[in-house]
Amino acid sequence: MDERVILHCDLNNFFASVASIGHPELREVPMAVCGSIEERHGIVLANNYPAKAAGIKTAMTVVEALRLCPRLICVKPDYRAYMEYSRKVQEIYACYTDQIEPFGIDECWLDVTGSERLFGDGQEIAHRLRGEVKRNFDLTISVGVSFCKVMAKLGSDMKKPDAVTAIEKADLPTKVWPLPVGDLFGIGRHTREKLCDLGIYTIGQLANTDPNVLKTKFGKIGLQMWQFANGKEVSPVRKWGECDPPKSVSRSTTCKEDLTNARQVRQVLVGLTEQVSADLRRHGFYAGKISLYFRDKNLAWCSRQSTLDLPTRLVKPMVDTAMALLEENWSGIPLRSVGMGASNLIPQTSPIQTGLFFDFADLERKERLEAKVDELRDKMGRDTITRASQLLDPLHVKLGSSFGHIQF
Ligand SMILES: [Mg+2]
């Protein structure tokens, strides 16, 4: 395979830079983006170069920062603006390639292998991007240009702001290997300390360690670290907009009144399961495993799981499974919060093993019905259609707002 050309683009001091758009005077004075300034217990989320020069660091408390630099200007975060500029910058990247993989709000990998004939080599493209982002939004990026994602990321960290750094394979021994091992992507403080215990302080020392030793010590991750250090990382840059399928979907709620009997719990579970079921349909999955969580009024927490014989996303079998878990595990102490989750997700496109006398027509009818209910609710609101069972008790009194959680 021909060598790939990967860029890693990192917006410099992103939050602080966005805060300065339209306020050039803020660039010249120490400025920090801080959480809850009024309560004075917020922390510094980001800061500009004058603030860094004054010794301000992220995660410092606002009080500490102001003591260190009394003339520090604190501004509130503006997450909508960050999302907006993040998207706008990605739109510029998208003029050069459709392989754009965001990493956080301010970083992206780009695979520009196929774009070189149109726009010049990797470094030329990097400089074009740098110029366009600066001209259009008054934001700066630092760009790493390399043959794999890990080395491109390392490159973007080497020189900033508003800079381009190329790392070629031949550069590894001179440019990369002398660096501290903690600079390598994926090596956090914890792993770094463990590596130091083994006498591994630089990326080069890691690259030259027997991979089997690392595998014994760290498992699969150890082998991966060794590959990273040697530039043997081959993971592709995703297509723009592509994301991982979810690993689990869950919903939970804290009730306004404690639940005292199984019928009440079932009602709450039906409400939550309807939402989990809709999430599964939206993402195209069946649940292979159901989890039930509850917390009683003494705040004791219980979490149980059960594997389904037949993967499903229909509300009734999911609720029945959760109720069976409840019966086995609930001592009857009134419950304050209840949650239900679906995991071991199976793509709806994969074949499912069923019994010989399985009624597919019935299953399909139920699936279609629940999908139709989703559609109605999406169009007209959640309360448009309600199960009769949900009307038995004045549930709206008991049910608090629910929280959804989709884990990727
Ligand atoms: Mg950044």
Side-chain angles (χ1 to χ4, degrees):
M1 193 180 89
D2 277 355
E3 204 158 84
R4 297 181 298 161
V5 183
I6 311 287
L7 309 187
H8 182 264
C9 301
D10 185 355
L11 281 150
N12 305 123
N13 290 338
F14 183 49
F15 289 6
S17 304
V18 170
S20 308
I21 293 174
H23 302 279
E25 71 282 2
L26 286 179
R27 267 179 241 278
E28 312 305 324
V29 293
M31 184 265 286
V33 179
C34 308
S36 43
I37 303 160
E38 297 84 7
E39 292 138 59
R40 293 182 66 83
H41 60 230
I43 59 162
V44 173
L45 301 169
N47 50 358
N48 65 2
Y49 287 104
K52 284 187 210 296
I56 307 298
K57 293 195 164 64
T58 49
M60 221 175 222
T61 66
V62 176
V63 178
E64 238 179 302
L66 284 170
R67 196 181 304 138
L68 202 64
C69 177
R71 62 196 186 101
L72 181 73
I73 295 177
C74 295
V75 302
K76 280 187 191 168
D78 180 353
Y79 293 100
R80 276 221 345 232
Y82 306 148
M83 295 294 287
E84 188 190 328
Y85 280 100
S86 174
R87 186 181 46 80
K88 283 181 172 171
V89 169
Q90 284 179 34
E91 280 166 4
I92 289 187
Y93 300 159
C95 299
Y96 292 84
T97 175
D98 63 343
Q99 276 175 277
I100 302 169
E101 183 177 331
F103 185 68
I105 197 165
D106 60 341
E107 298 179 26
C108 283
W109 278 289
L110 278 62
D111 186 328
V112 296
T113 313
S115 321
E116 285 189 296
R117 261 204 307 201
L118 280 172
F119 302 110
D121 68 10
Q123 290 196 56
E124 247 178 279
I125 295 176
H127 281 295
R128 277 172 180 249
L129 292 173
R130 195 177 56 75
E132 281 191 43
V133 171
K134 198 172 175 180
R135 247 193 333 275
N136 283 288
F137 308 120
D138 213 4
L139 293 169
T140 61
I141 54 174
S142 45
V143 189
V145 185
S146 195
F147 54 89
C148 70
K149 283 159 81 177
V150 166
M151 291 302 157
K153 180 155 169 65
L154 196 66
S156 73
D157 269 339
M158 282 180 166
K159 220 186 296 162
K160 45 181 141 182
D162 200 16
V164 173
T165 306
I167 299 177
E168 288 174 31
K169 273 200 178 128
D171 296 331
L172 287 185
T174 52
K175 276 193 187 169
V176 173
W177 286 0
L179 295 173
V181 76
D183 285 3
L184 194 64
F185 181 66
I187 297 190
R189 194 175 60 96
H190 187 67
T191 310
R192 195 189 67 214
E193 281 166 7
K194 279 200 191 161
L195 286 169
C196 288
D197 289 343
L198 294 171
I200 299 169
Y201 300 96
T202 65
I203 298 179
Q205 285 170 331
L206 177 63
N208 289 301
T209 303
D210 179 353
N212 289 315
V213 172
L214 295 166
K215 200 179 167 204
T216 315
K217 191 84 185 161
F218 297 96
K220 239 166 56 185
I221 301 288
L223 214 51
Q224 195 188 50
M225 290 192 287
W226 180 85
Q227 285 168 339
F228 283 8
N230 281 289
K232 291 181 189 294
E233 184 257 332
V234 292
S235 73
V237 176
R238 290 220 187 90
K239 283 254 160 69
W240 199 25
E242 223 174 61
C243 63
D244 275 338
K247 290 196 178 71
S248 67
V249 174
S250 63
R251 294 275 176 165
S252 63
T253 188
T254 298
C255 302
K256 290 179 182 162
E257 286 171 33
D258 291 345
L259 307 174
T260 54
N261 63 53
R263 199 179 74 168
Q264 290 174 342
V265 180
R266 187 178 180 96
Q267 266 192 284
V268 173
L269 277 173
V270 167
L272 297 171
T273 306
E274 282 184 332
Q275 297 173 55
V276 168
S277 161
D279 286 338
L280 288 171
R281 256 187 303 282
R282 199 167 301 131
H283 291 277
F285 285 96
Y286 293 106
K289 196 184 257 183
I290 295 298
S291 315
L292 170 77
Y293 325 91
F294 56 83
R295 191 188 290 280
D296 67 29
K297 63 172 190 169
N298 305 323
L299 303 181
W301 175 251
C302 174
S303 159
R304 292 288 181 275
Q305 301 191 316
S306 175
T307 301
L308 295 164
D309 294 331
L310 184 67
T312 189
R313 59 186 170 200
L314 291 174
V315 173
K316 188 171 183 305
M318 290 202 282
V319 170
D320 288 346
T321 307
M323 284 304 289
L325 288 168
L326 182 82
E327 269 152 40
E328 285 161 30
N329 296 287
W330 183 34
S331 62
I333 300 173
L335 298 183
R336 176 164 298 184
S337 28
V338 180
M340 87 88 63
S343 55
N344 280 17
L345 303 187
I346 296 151
Q348 62 190 15
T349 45
S350 63
I352 287 171
Q353 193 85 45
T354 57
L356 191 56
F357 302 105
F358 189 75
D359 188 350
F360 262 111
D362 180 56
L363 179 69
E364 261 191 55
R365 213 178 49 243
K366 287 174 177 156
E367 276 270 348
R368 272 208 308 276
L369 177 66
E370 294 198 350
K372 206 76 208 166
V373 171
D374 286 354
E375 221 181 283
L376 274 172
R377 283 179 166 163
D378 281 348
K379 263 194 219 142
M380 338 252 298
R382 242 194 91 64
D383 298 329
T384 309
I385 183 163
T386 304
R387 279 166 202 268
S389 65
Q390 297 299 86
L391 300 170
L392 294 176
D393 268 345
L395 192 73
H396 58 279
V397 180
K398 292 206 167 63
L399 196 57
S401 53
S402 82
F403 293 96
H405 187 71
I406 296 177
Q407 197 184 13
F408 289 93

